[in-house]
Amino acid sequence: MNPHDHPTALKDLQDSIYREKVLRARKMTPEERIDSVWELSDMQLELMLAGALARIDSSDHEKGWAEVRRGLDRVERARDHRFYSHSIPAT
């Protein structure tokens, strides 16, 4: 079925894919779920490293991981900025 043939075909296809993923996840054991989380984490770290290497235009993995760390530190500072103040509030 071509998603362009019917106005709701694309949405129906997306719903079907989502439903299949949910049903597959519900059948997984806790151990299988944890394993899949680790696989996703590993993949995410590889993508972060690849992005960092491209950003700094290098193939040096040590420099790449330093760039990943720098980026994660920046995200952490931005997140923490909402929770912590660097000055005493005026009364």
Side-chain angles (χ1 to χ4, degrees):
M1 171 186 272
N2 185 341
H4 302 289
D5 292 341
H6 190 271
T8 64
L10 181 58
K11 175 77 169 104
D12 294 343
L13 178 61
Q14 290 170 333
D15 290 347
S16 173
I17 292 169
Y18 179 76
R19 189 171 29 261
E20 287 299 319
K21 286 182 175 185
V22 169
L23 293 174
R24 190 170 49 242
R26 286 181 179 166
K27 291 178 183 177
M28 294 172 83
T29 65
E31 292 82 10
E32 290 171 328
R33 289 181 187 180
I34 289 173
D35 286 344
S36 71
V37 167
W38 286 117
E39 286 176 27
L40 289 171
S41 296
D42 289 346
M43 185 178 75
Q44 183 62 42
L45 287 170
E46 290 173 17
L47 289 171
M48 291 169 70
L49 176 61
L53 290 171
R55 210 169 22 259
I56 63 174
D57 194 24
S58 175
S59 60
D60 184 341
H61 281 213
E62 190 172 323
K63 289 179 182 177
W65 284 119
E67 179 68 11
V68 168
R69 180 75 260 160
R70 191 181 72 77
L72 290 173
D73 288 343
R74 183 174 168 219
V75 169
E76 186 176 3
R77 281 192 312 276
R79 184 200 65 215
D80 290 348
H81 180 72
R82 296 181 311 153
F83 301 112
Y84 304 107
S85 175
H86 296 287
S87 60
I88 298 173
T91 55

